[in-house]
Amino acid sequence: MKREIEVLAPAGSMECMKAAIVNGADAVYLGGEMFGARAYAGNFSQEELCEAIDYAHLFGKKIFLTINTLVKEKELPLLVDFLKPYYEQGLDAVIVQDFGVFATVRRHFPDLEIHASTQMTITGINGARLVKKMGAKRVVPARELSLEEIKEIKDDTGLDMECFVHGALCYGYSGQCFMSSMLGGRSGNRGRCAGTCRLPFQMKGKKHTKNSYPLSLKDLCTIENLPEILNHGVDSLKIEGRMKGARYVGEVTRIYRKYVDLYLSGNTYIVEDQDKKILMELFNRGGFTDGYYGQYHGRQMMSMKRPDHQGMLVGKIKKINKGKLAFTAKEEIHKGDIMELRISSTEKVELTSPSDWEKGSFVTLNGQKMKKLYCGMEIFRTRNQQLTQKIDKSLKLKKQENLKGKIILHSGECAKLWIENGRKAVCAEGPMIEKAQKQTADKQQIMKQLSKTGETHYHFTDLQVEMDSDIFVPGSLLKKLRRDAFDALDKKQIQAYRRSYKKTDEEVIRQLGSCYSEPEITVSLENVNLVPTVLKYSNVQNVYLSWMNLKQKKQPKQIVEQICQSGKSCYIMLPQIARKQQMEEIQNKKRLLFSKNVKGLVVRNIEELSWLLQESYNGKLVLDYMVYGYNKKAVDTLMKMYPGEVRITYSVECNRQELKDLECYNGELIFYGYLPLMVSAQCVKNNLLGCDQKEEWLTLTDRYQKEFYVKTCCSDCINEIYNGQPIWLGTEQELVEDLQPEACRFHFTKETPEEADYILNTIEEIQKGKNVSPLSDYTKGHMNRGIL
C-alpha cells in the first residue's frame, strides 16, 4: 500500500490558504477569530473560514483549526458556539492545548478529530498515551525530540505523528515559556508572544557578548533530511509560518511537495541547489538548522549575530571610490534586487540594483554612508526581484483538478455528461437530443467545446464522446451541461463533509470548595542544601525537594528522612521537562519516590502525570502551575484523572479575578519565588562561552540592563532562564482570603541561607494577616494586570 504523507502548510489569510493548496499542500492549518496561538496573524472571519473549508474540500484537501491556546473561565462557554458553524461546514480537525478545551470538544463534537498541539509539551510515550486515551488522533510532539524519540512514540501509540520541518524555532520548549508574558503581558500560551527571545542580551561581566542574540535560533530547514524523518514514522510534515505572506507559504509548500513526491517515487533523493537557494532567499536567519532531529543542541543552531532575515550572500566589497562600491557577483543579480550591508546590529545600508548582472560580473552600485563601509564587507541580497515576480505570477494561477468525462448524445434521449475526479462522480442531464435538419454535430467540435473549462477549477484529461452521427447539438447545450456537471460535482464534494451539530447536555463540573482553614505553608527548594534552614521554622508544614538536585546528592534518602523526622511532610518535585533520560531515572528511583517518607510528588508535565497513573501511584499529587488549569473544565479534567488526593497550583498567568472565577479552594498559591521564564534544551553558557560542565547561576542583561538569571542544569543538560525579580504576594492578604488556597508556597532557587531566613521570618506576620514587604525589588506577577 502506498504510504500517505501529508504536507501541512500554514495560512494567515485566504490568499495564503489558496497559495498552499495550489502548490500542493494536503492540509492547511489556520486560526479563527478566537482561541488561536497566533493572535496577530491575519486570522479568518467566520465567513472566510467556512469558505476556506469548502475550497479545500473541492480538491480533497483538509483544514485544521487552531484552538491551541489556554482559555480563561469566562471564555470557555463561547467555545461551542464558536466551533459549531465550522463543524457543520465540515472542519477536518482542531489543534488543542488546553485540557478544558480538549474535554469540551470531545463532549460536544465527538466525531471531530483532535490533534494534541506542540504547546502541550509532549515529550515521550507516556504523554502521548494520555492524550490518545482522551481521544486525540494525532500528536505534535515537542520540537526538541530526536528522531528516535519520535519513532518510539509512533511505534508505541500508533498516533499520527505531525512534526515541524520548516520555519521558526522557539528557544524554549513550547508551552513552557513565560518570558513574553511576564515582561509585557503578552503570553505565548495565549497566542500573543512578543518574540522576546529575538532581542539582544549580554552575559553580565562578559563584554564580548554585547549586542549578541543568544536566545535566537536559526530557522528550521529539513529538505535534505526528509527521507530520514519520514523513515522514523512521521506522517505529517508541518511548515511553520502563519505570520508569513502568500509568497513564502506558496513557494515553501511547492518545494516540500516536490521532494515528498520524489521520496514516494522511490527515485534517488537529491535536492537541487536552486531549490535550496530559493528557500534561503525566502527567509533565513544567517543560514538554516536541521533542528533537534539529529543533535541535542549546539551553537551551530543559533543565529546570534542577527535575528531577522539575512538573505543570500552575493559578494564582498572589493572597491570603494567616490560614492560607489564594487564587488564580484557570487550570484546572478537582477534589476530591482535589494542588497543589504549590515553596519551594526541596529544599522544597515540598503541598495537597489539598477540593472541585471551575470554571476561573476564586477558590479558597481551607488552607495551611502560610505565612511562606515569597508573593503571585505559582506553584501546580502534580501529581495530577489526575479524570484518575487515569478512567485507573484504563480499566485495568480488557479488550482485545477483533473477530470475524466464522457458525454452521451443519442437522438430521442436526454443528453448526459458523466464526470469523475477519482473521488466523486456525477452525471448531469440536459434536454432531449434531436436529429439534425441541416448541419450535423461534429465529434471533434464537441470535445473542443467541452474542454473549454476556462476559469473553472476543472480540467479534462480524458474525455470520451458517445453520439449518433445524424444529430444536432447546439453549443449552448454543451455549455450548460458542463456547468451543471461541474456544479453538481462541487456540491457533491462539499456536501460529503457536512455535519449536523447535536446539542449535548452540559456536564456538571465537580465543585472544589471546602470549609476555609488557614493555608498550609509550603517551601519548595531547587537547592536541597537549604533544608537545614527551612527545618528551623515550625510554621512550615511541607517541604518540596527538586528531584534534579536531590538525585545528585550522595544520600538522598537521608535528606528525605531528615525532613520527616522534623515533623514536616516531604514531597519531591519532578523535572519540568521529562524526556527519556528523566523518565528512566525516576523509573529506576521509583522505590525512593514511592516510599512512605515521601508524602507526595509535584508533577510538572503530562508525561509524568501519565506515568504515575500507569504505575497506580497512591500518594498525594500536586500539579504544578505549568500543568495548566485556566478554567474550571481544565481543573476538573485534571482532578478526575487521578483517583487519589490531588492539589492544583494556581496559574501564574491569571489575575485575581480569573483565579476567583475558578472557585478552586484546594489550590496552591505561589507566594514567593524567582520563577523560570523558559526551559530550553539549548545552553546559553555553552553557546556564548563554551561548556565546562559546571552547574552555576549566570546573569543575562537586556538592552535596558534588566537582569535575568540563567541556571545551567548540567545533570539534565538544560537551561532555565529566570525572571530577575521574584514574585512576592506578602502585601496581598485580601487575595489569600478571596482564593482560600490550601497552601501558600515559598519557592527558593538561588537564595543563600541568609536570604532564605530573611524571607521565612515573615511567615508569622503573614499568618496573622499583616501585609509584609521585606523586599524592595519584587513583582506581583499577573495578580493585578493579568494577560491578554
Side-chain angles (χ1 to χ4, degrees):
M1 184 182 294
K2 187 177 180 181
R3 182 182 173 190
E4 291 187 10
I5 295 169
E6 179 181 273
V7 175
L8 176 58
S13 68
M14 188 67 75
E15 186 184 16
C16 289
M17 186 276 299
K18 290 183 177 179
I21 298 292
V22 166
N23 283 283
D26 299 295
V28 176
Y29 67 101
L30 46 78
E33 293 176 316
M34 299 175 68
F35 307 114
R38 284 291 182 271
Y40 301 115
N43 291 311
F44 289 64
S45 67
Q46 180 176 320
E47 182 181 356
E48 288 173 329
L49 215 161
C50 288
E51 181 186 341
I53 292 169
D54 284 351
Y55 181 86
H57 289 164
L58 282 175
F59 304 103
K61 311 304 181 184
K62 297 179 180 180
I63 295 291
F64 304 152
L65 180 62
T66 58
I67 49 173
N68 55 338
T69 59
L70 299 178
V71 177
K72 299 177 182 180
E73 175 59 27
K74 67 181 180 181
E75 297 168 337
L76 192 60
L78 305 175
L79 178 63
V80 173
D81 285 340
F82 170 75
L83 276 181
K84 182 181 173 184
Y86 312 132
Y87 171 81
E88 293 183 329
Q89 200 79 7
L91 178 67
D92 296 282
V94 288
I95 306 170
V96 172
Q97 175 187 14
D98 188 288
F99 280 100
V101 171
F102 205 126
T104 300
V105 172
R106 188 74 295 130
R107 179 170 178 79
H108 289 270
F109 307 96
D111 58 339
L112 180 58
E113 197 170 293
I114 295 178
H115 299 172
S117 171
T118 190
Q119 290 287 118
M120 294 191 86
T121 326
I122 294 171
T123 54
I125 58 174
N126 298 296
R129 287 172 182 171
L130 181 64
V131 295
K132 181 180 180 179
K133 186 177 180 181
M134 291 178 67
K137 185 176 185 297
R138 175 181 295 193
V139 63
V140 190
R143 280 175 265 204
E144 290 78 4
L145 298 196
S146 67
L147 288 175
E148 288 69 30
E149 289 171 301
I150 290 167
K151 188 174 189 302
E152 194 172 59
I153 295 173
K154 177 67 178 180
D155 291 345
D156 183 88
T157 66
L159 288 168
D160 286 352
M161 295 299 296
E162 176 185 308
C163 295
F164 286 91
V165 293
H166 198 93
L169 288 170
C170 297
Y171 187 80
Y173 282 86
S174 294
Q176 301 293 316
C177 180
F178 299 92
M179 199 165 203
S180 174
S181 169
M182 288 299 179
L183 298 186
R186 288 173 52 176
S187 173
N189 284 314
R190 299 272 296 164
R192 291 170 169 84
C193 176
T196 314
C197 55
R198 300 293 181 189
L199 297 175
F201 294 88
Q202 180 179 351
M203 186 78 77
K204 193 172 182 179
K206 308 292 181 182
K207 291 184 179 180
H208 68 279
T209 65
K210 189 177 182 180
N211 294 326
S212 63
Y213 297 84
L215 309 184
S216 177
L217 280 106
K218 294 176 182 175
D219 272 24
L220 179 67
C221 178
T222 63
I223 198 69
E224 294 189 280
N225 312 92
L226 287 190
E228 189 179 11
I229 291 170
L230 293 169
N231 291 341
H232 279 78
V234 175
D235 303 288
S236 177
L237 303 175
K238 188 170 193 172
I239 299 165
E240 185 277 336
R242 282 208 287 134
M243 303 291 286
K244 294 287 200 303
R247 290 170 181 158
Y248 177 92
V249 170
E251 196 68 359
V252 173
T253 301
R254 180 190 69 79
I255 290 174
Y256 275 84
R257 171 82 275 156
K258 174 181 176 179
Y259 288 100
V260 166
D261 291 344
L262 176 61
Y263 169 85
L264 291 172
S265 73
N267 295 325
T268 303
Y269 192 90
I270 299 175
V271 179
E272 297 173 19
D273 287 342
Q274 185 60 29
D275 289 326
K276 288 187 280 188
K277 287 181 180 179
I278 290 172
L279 292 173
M280 284 282 286
E281 299 221 53
L282 288 169
F283 193 91
N284 79 87
R285 304 178 203 266
F288 287 123
T289 174
D290 55 6
Y292 295 93
Y293 292 121
Q295 59 195 322
Y296 183 76
H297 63 201
R299 183 185 177 92
Q300 69 276 15
M301 298 176 67
M302 307 303 299
S303 175
M304 294 193 289
K305 289 185 178 180
R306 56 186 293 180
D308 54 352
H309 178 45
Q310 181 168 302
M312 174 77 71
L313 179 66
V314 293
K316 295 180 181 180
I317 296 178
K318 281 195 172 182
K319 188 177 181 181
I320 300 174
N321 187 31
K322 296 180 181 180
K324 294 183 181 294
L325 60 87
F327 65 95
T328 302
K330 290 181 175 290
E331 302 288 339
E332 186 179 299
I333 293 174
H334 323 103
K335 182 179 180 180
D337 283 1
I338 295 176
M339 263 74 73
E340 180 183 289
L341 297 94
R342 188 61 74 123
I343 296 169
S344 68
S345 61
T346 57
E347 189 176 8
K348 63 184 178 182
V349 170
E350 283 191 342
L351 306 173
T352 302
S353 174
S355 56
D356 295 332
W357 306 84
E358 292 183 0
K359 183 177 179 180
S361 299
F362 197 63
V363 180
T364 302
L365 299 175
N366 292 325
Q368 48 182 283
K369 300 182 182 179
M370 301 300 286
K371 291 182 180 180
K372 296 185 178 182
L373 306 183
Y374 54 87
C375 290
M377 200 172 191
E378 293 181 326
I379 304 169
F380 291 89
R381 176 169 59 202
T382 55
R383 177 187 170 98
N384 184 326
Q385 184 65 13
Q386 189 179 89
L387 176 62
T388 299
Q389 290 174 342
K390 180 182 176 183
I391 294 173
D392 286 348
K393 187 177 179 180
S394 72
L395 291 176
K396 294 177 182 177
L397 299 176
K398 288 198 172 186
K399 174 78 171 175
Q400 285 195 317
E401 247 197 330
N402 294 333
L403 291 179
K404 290 182 179 180
K406 182 177 183 179
I407 188 168
I408 302 172
L409 303 167
H410 293 302
S411 176
E413 298 178 9
C414 291
K416 295 180 181 179
L417 176 60
W418 170 86
I419 60 172
E420 64 97 8
N421 62 358
R423 300 185 309 277
K424 296 282 188 288
V426 295
C427 184
E429 289 194 3
M432 189 176 294
I433 299 297
E434 298 177 355
K435 287 191 175 183
Q437 299 297 319
K438 296 181 179 179
Q439 186 175 0
T440 58
D442 179 75
K443 183 176 183 179
Q444 294 303 316
Q445 279 297 113
I446 289 172
M447 290 183 67
K448 183 178 179 180
Q449 182 73 21
L450 281 177
S451 297
K452 293 179 180 179
T453 54
E455 294 297 308
T456 71
H457 45 266
Y458 291 116
H459 170 71
F460 282 110
T461 57
D462 181 10
L463 181 59
Q464 299 176 23
V465 180
E466 179 183 311
M467 58 178 287
D468 293 339
S469 59
D470 58 347
I471 58 174
F472 172 69
V473 183
S476 58
L477 180 149
L478 296 175
K479 289 181 182 178
K480 187 176 186 305
L481 199 61
R482 182 183 60 215
R483 183 172 64 249
D484 290 348
F486 287 3
D487 288 347
L489 186 56
D490 283 355
K491 186 175 181 181
K492 189 169 186 178
Q493 291 189 113
I494 291 171
Q495 289 297 325
Y497 293 89
R498 292 286 196 266
R499 289 177 288 227
S500 295
Y501 172 70
K502 296 178 182 178
K503 188 173 182 179
T504 304
D505 292 336
E506 289 294 332
E507 186 178 8
V508 177
I509 295 177
R510 174 173 53 166
Q511 289 297 313
L512 299 172
S514 63
C515 296
Y516 180 65
S517 59
E518 198 70 32
E520 297 176 356
I521 299 297
T522 291
V523 175
S524 53
L525 303 175
E526 294 291 346
N527 181 358
V528 301
N529 291 337
L530 289 178
V531 167
T533 303
V534 175
L535 295 187
K536 296 186 301 183
Y537 292 87
S538 60
N539 44 16
V540 173
Q541 287 99 339
N542 309 305
V543 180
Y544 298 172
L545 303 178
S546 165
W547 171 249
M548 282 206 305
N549 188 246
L550 183 66
K551 71 181 183 182
Q552 298 179 63
K553 303 302 178 182
K554 290 182 179 179
Q555 296 180 318
K557 184 178 178 182
Q558 280 77 353
I559 297 172
V560 171
E561 290 174 349
Q562 183 185 4
I563 294 170
C564 293
Q565 289 167 4
S566 72
K568 303 183 189 305
S569 298
C570 180
Y571 292 71
I572 292 178
M573 296 186 293
L574 299 179
Q576 187 168 344
I577 297 297
R579 289 172 62 176
K580 191 170 184 179
Q581 173 196 329
Q582 288 76 25
M583 294 309 299
E584 287 177 351
E585 286 176 349
I586 63 176
Q587 176 74 44
N588 293 335
K589 296 294 182 180
K590 186 170 65 172
R591 189 171 178 180
L592 172 61
L593 296 172
F594 291 12
S595 69
K596 64 178 182 179
N597 288 328
V598 177
K599 184 174 182 179
L601 299 173
V602 181
V603 174
R604 292 167 143 178
N605 52 67
I606 63 173
E607 182 74 9
E608 295 159 355
L609 176 59
S610 178
W611 175 72
L612 290 169
L613 294 174
Q614 293 170 63
E615 292 287 332
S616 301
Y617 177 70
N618 59 10
K620 185 167 181 176
L621 283 192
V622 177
L623 303 182
D624 215 345
Y625 64 87
M626 60 285 290
V627 182
Y628 300 107
Y630 262 53
N631 53 73
K632 290 180 183 178
K633 188 65 178 174
V635 172
D636 188 55
T637 300
L638 287 165
M639 301 286 253
K640 285 179 177 176
M641 286 182 187
Y642 186 62
E645 191 177 353
V646 59
R647 180 162 75 209
I648 194 161
T649 307
Y650 297 122
S651 167
V652 297
E653 289 194 304
C654 292
N655 64 30
R656 62 179 67 222
Q657 185 57 53
E658 289 159 354
L659 292 179
K660 284 175 65 177
D661 291 344
L662 291 177
E663 297 178 350
C664 176
Y665 301 116
N666 68 334
E668 182 157 309
L669 178 67
I670 304 290
F671 202 80
Y672 164 81
Y674 292 94
L675 298 185
L677 300 180
M678 63 168 66
V679 181
S680 178
Q682 291 293 332
C683 179
V684 175
K685 182 169 70 171
N686 181 38
N687 291 339
L688 284 177
L689 309 174
C691 177
D692 59 7
Q693 297 186 343
K694 179 182 177 183
E695 292 204 356
E696 61 181 322
W697 287 91
L698 302 167
T699 303
L700 286 178
T701 57
D702 67 8
R703 51 194 171 156
Y704 304 114
Q705 299 308 302
K706 183 177 176 64
E707 293 186 344
F708 303 89
Y709 303 120
V710 180
K711 183 183 180 184
T712 58
C713 308
C714 298
S715 64
D716 287 60
C717 202
I718 62 169
N719 262 195
E720 295 175 332
I721 300 177
Y722 286 76
N723 199 2
Q725 291 177 304
I727 281 181
W728 175 253
L729 299 180
T731 59
E732 300 292 320
Q733 284 298 322
E734 289 183 5
L735 175 67
V736 178
E737 294 172 9
D738 286 342
L739 294 183
Q740 300 179 25
E742 187 176 321
C744 290
R745 189 194 306 180
F746 291 75
H747 184 61
F748 291 107
T749 50
K750 58 186 289 293
E751 291 85 354
T752 64
E754 293 74 22
E755 290 169 332
D757 263 327
Y758 186 62
I759 297 297
L760 293 174
N761 272 321
T762 64
I763 292 176
E764 191 172 337
E765 291 180 84
I766 289 168
Q767 288 180 322
K768 291 178 180 178
K770 295 181 180 180
N771 284 330
V772 182
S773 182
L775 303 170
S776 58
D777 185 26
Y778 64 91
T779 175
K780 295 178 184 178
H782 288 297
M783 283 303 155
N784 294 324
R785 63 181 181 179
I787 55 173
L788 297 174

